[in-house]
Amino acid sequence: MIGLELSLGQLQRGVPTPQPLASFFEQGQGARVALAEGANGNLSVWTELSPNHAAWLQLDNNDPGTRLSWRETLVMELHNIYPVGAMTLSSGWSQLQSSGSGLSGSYTGNRAVATSSVTASASVTVDRAAPYDVWIHYTSRTSGGYCRVDIDGAQTLVNEIDDPASLGYKAFPTYSATDLQRRQSIKVASGLTGSHDVVLTNGGVATPGGNAIMVEAVAITGSLDDPHILPPLWQPGVTYAMGDEVQFGGMYYSARANGPSGAVGPTHTGGIASDGALDWRADDRPTYPKFVAIDYASEREYAMRFSTGGPATELGGQTHGNETVVSQTFALDGVAWNPSTVGNGLSVGNQITITEDLTWQLQGGSTIGNCQLLRTITPGQIHHAVNATGTGPQVTFEWFYAGMLPMVRWDGESASTVVDSINIPGTTPIDLSSYAGVNPPNVDFPDVQRIGLMANLEQGNLVYGHEAGALPGASNVVNDFDTFLRPNLEATSESGGLDWKAKAYVTGSADGDLTFGAGDALRFYSRHVLQIA
């Protein structure tokens, strides 16, 4: 089988060395998956790519009459977050709500504390049975001073930072030439286990800089089954402080004042509104963990266009429609899933199974077939099996995509170039930057149905394999597959929050016209394998 290898990398970190295509389909070292509510009746799927990394998949269902659509993949390093609300604060701190912690745009805006007092301290007890590292999340400022870190009353365990300016103790500077640079973090310790007390104090004046520090959270290594991976679920009648972050109904909210919550959770999906007692600012992502967008705003499972001599019909979830849901089931480790009402909202297990029985229709509403879409999600792998049986008039396909893989070249939120180049064995590599600002024609790769992506991210090296092909079974009308690449879908340049997008399509065909009618079967699969190397 011929393979297409796409090699991705942050320009500032260098391009990864291309690997044999088989390595893109090796299983990672993750052990867990998780389900959670998404906004507007959507679904959030989490799958570990390594012991401490995960991908977050957004499945949209804005129209409950059509199937879920996989819209976005975000990659993150999992951290247990201990926000300001979990800390014990001495006198001398000013409490405030930051305007957000995104690099290019604010999320909910979490609670922060600032001080210029050398006697002020913030302490928190962190705990994990498995080995972990420790990070401090802070806001850098033009007036930023040094932040001192002690663990268990000493600095022996503070092994990831040193004395930056002959201070006589270990600390890190919080100065930035530009004020209010959000979402800064620094690793201060590694290799810890069990319970430890972390204490932060003002380490004095930095030059350049000043004597103020602003702290947002302490974090330790995490996995999906750890309790502090995401903000807690909103609860009624609980007293919150300004900037405290919660989640409810798949959305994330930050309190805009001090006070008790109302009786019914917030439901707004943007801006600021009340739960009946307390105002909350809404966003569709939490402040932590730090995300990197790998792909965005495009379906993965399938899409097709066909005709019967009249107007053309397109199928494909939310984007194309014309398929109605007969039934949907969600199972976690073989048990019907119900959204969690306690903790951090995640239901954690080893395998997710989502089954959707569908009716395929012509644009005018006539039925042409019955279809079952089976998603099986295990750690680092998403597998779609599509089995359709024709029940109506014969249709002829104009195009049929058995699998799709979008790519975000420029992720403005992480201020990084994600997609760099495309490498095909035996040919000259394609430099995606040469397509900036233009919308070129398709780049065709005949007889290719396996695709390998590679990204050199801040979190580690992401290896991403994608393939699509025929499933076994009688009367299957599809038997040939090719791939083509759209290097720049929107003819944009590296300028926006998520800009610009490329996309690879694995197309299906037959010996002659691809047709589908009563008694015919259309059986195919797509498979996505992700790992952090």
Side-chain angles (χ1 to χ4, degrees):
M1 185 178 298
I2 299 174
L4 166 66
E5 300 189 8
L6 309 185
S7 177
L8 292 78
Q10 271 184 274
L11 294 181
Q12 56 266 54
R13 294 174 58 87
V15 178
T17 302
Q19 300 184 29
L21 191 62
S23 67
F24 290 88
F25 294 89
E26 296 174 356
Q27 291 298 108
Q29 300 302 311
R32 304 162 191 86
V33 295
L35 277 176
E37 283 190 283
N40 298 317
N42 300 337
L43 192 67
S44 288
V45 178
W46 303 71
T47 179
E48 287 183 354
L49 312 184
S50 79
N52 307 122
H53 297 82
W56 181 18
L57 319 177
Q58 302 284 0
L59 296 181
D60 287 355
N61 196 21
N62 296 325
D63 179 356
T66 61
R67 66 168 169 85
L68 291 162
S69 300
W70 178 5
R71 288 293 198 170
E72 183 176 54
T73 306
L74 303 173
V75 175
M76 75 290 299
E77 185 172 11
L78 294 170
H79 288 173
N80 281 289
I81 300 296
Y82 296 84
V84 170
M87 298 179 185
T88 299
L89 302 173
S90 71
S91 60
W93 292 95
S94 299
Q95 298 199 38
L96 64 155
Q97 181 179 20
S98 70
S99 60
S101 292
L103 291 171
S104 66
S106 63
Y107 295 144
T108 53
N110 58 304
R111 188 175 171 190
V113 289
T115 189
S116 57
S117 169
V118 296
T119 61
S121 65
S123 61
V124 65
T125 300
V126 298
D127 189 16
R128 190 172 190 253
Y132 62 88
D133 303 336
V134 181
W135 289 263
I136 308 301
H137 294 270
Y138 66 98
T139 299
S140 57
R141 312 195 64 168
T142 57
S143 60
Y146 292 109
C147 181
R148 173 172 172 163
V149 183
D150 290 85
I151 299 178
D152 297 337
Q155 293 198 306
T156 305
L157 297 177
V158 184
N159 57 1
E160 293 287 345
I161 58 174
D162 52 21
D163 184 343
S166 300
L167 302 171
Y169 47 80
K170 297 175 182 178
F172 64 88
T174 66
Y175 165 78
S176 172
T178 304
D179 198 25
L180 299 177
Q181 291 295 298
R182 304 294 178 186
R183 192 176 261 183
Q184 302 297 311
S185 64
I186 184 170
K187 184 189 290 187
V188 297
S190 59
L192 303 184
T193 56
S195 177
H196 295 280
D197 296 323
V198 179
V199 179
L200 308 179
T201 54
N202 192 323
V205 179
T207 303
N211 65 344
I213 61 173
M214 184 184 294
V215 176
E216 298 184 1
V218 173
I220 67 172
T221 305
S223 298
L224 283 179
D225 61 344
D226 285 328
H228 306 293
I229 294 299
L230 293 173
L233 292 171
W234 174 95
Q235 298 295 331
V238 172
T239 299
Y240 292 100
M242 181 179 68
D244 280 346
E245 195 171 1
V246 298
Q247 56 172 307
F248 191 76
M251 290 293 297
Y252 296 88
Y253 297 95
S254 184
R256 295 290 292 171
N258 302 324
S261 57
V264 180
T267 59
H268 58 292
T269 57
I272 298 172
S274 175
D275 64 5
L278 188 63
D279 281 348
W280 299 89
R281 178 180 174 184
D283 211 315
D284 58 357
R285 298 185 196 172
T287 301
Y288 303 103
K290 182 177 180 179
F291 298 98
V292 174
I294 297 302
D295 48 35
Y296 182 72
S298 194
E299 297 183 49
R300 313 298 190 283
E301 298 87 353
Y302 61 82
M304 57 193 73
R305 177 187 291 166
F306 50 79
S307 66
T308 57
T313 294
E314 292 186 359
L315 290 178
Q318 303 295 334
T319 301
H320 305 293
N322 295 309
E323 50 187 337
T324 60
V325 172
V326 177
S327 64
Q328 288 179 326
T329 61
F330 308 95
L332 182 63
D333 295 338
V335 178
W337 171 75
N338 290 302
S340 176
T341 58
V342 296
N344 63 13
L346 291 180
S347 301
V348 182
N350 299 303
Q351 179 174 303
I352 298 166
T353 304
I354 303 172
T355 306
E356 292 176 293
D357 291 303
L358 312 161
T359 300
W360 284 359
Q361 298 176 331
L362 295 175
Q363 186 174 342
S366 301
T367 298
I368 65 164
N370 298 318
C371 175
Q372 183 180 84
L373 170 61
L374 175 64
R375 293 181 176 90
T376 304
I377 298 137
T378 52
Q381 179 171 255
I382 303 96
H383 187 279
H384 305 110
V386 181
N387 283 276
T389 302
T391 61
Q394 186 179 74
V395 299
T396 300
F397 288 86
E398 181 178 337
W399 47 259
F400 162 47
Y401 303 147
M404 292 164 280
L405 184 55
M407 296 154 270
V408 172
R409 171 166 169 76
W410 169 255
D411 178 11
E413 291 176 352
S414 64
S416 63
T417 298
V418 179
V419 179
D420 183 35
S421 63
I422 302 173
N423 291 275
I424 306 163
T427 66
T428 302
I430 298 173
D431 183 2
L432 286 184
S433 65
S434 64
Y435 295 102
V438 299
N439 191 345
N442 298 340
V443 183
D444 295 317
F445 304 102
D447 300 321
V448 169
Q449 62 189 85
R450 305 187 88 194
I451 304 165
L453 305 183
M454 197 169 177
N456 200 345
L457 306 175
E458 181 179 342
Q459 289 89 342
N461 293 326
L462 172 70
V463 179
Y464 189 156
H466 170 62
E467 63 181 351
L471 288 171
S475 304
N476 194 3
V477 297
V478 62
N479 55 31
D480 192 21
F481 295 89
D482 304 286
T483 289
F484 70 87
L485 175 74
R486 292 292 302 277
N488 190 345
L489 292 176
E490 299 172 353
T492 54
S493 301
E494 297 175 351
S495 59
L498 289 170
D499 222 359
W500 40 274
K501 294 178 283 291
K503 193 172 182 180
Y505 300 77
V506 180
T507 68
S509 59
D511 297 328
D513 288 338
L514 179 61
T515 61
F516 177 71
D520 287 333
L522 186 58
R523 309 183 194 279
F524 59 95
Y525 74 93
S526 66
R527 176 173 170 245
H528 301 252
V529 181
L530 298 87
Q531 61 174 300
I532 295 290

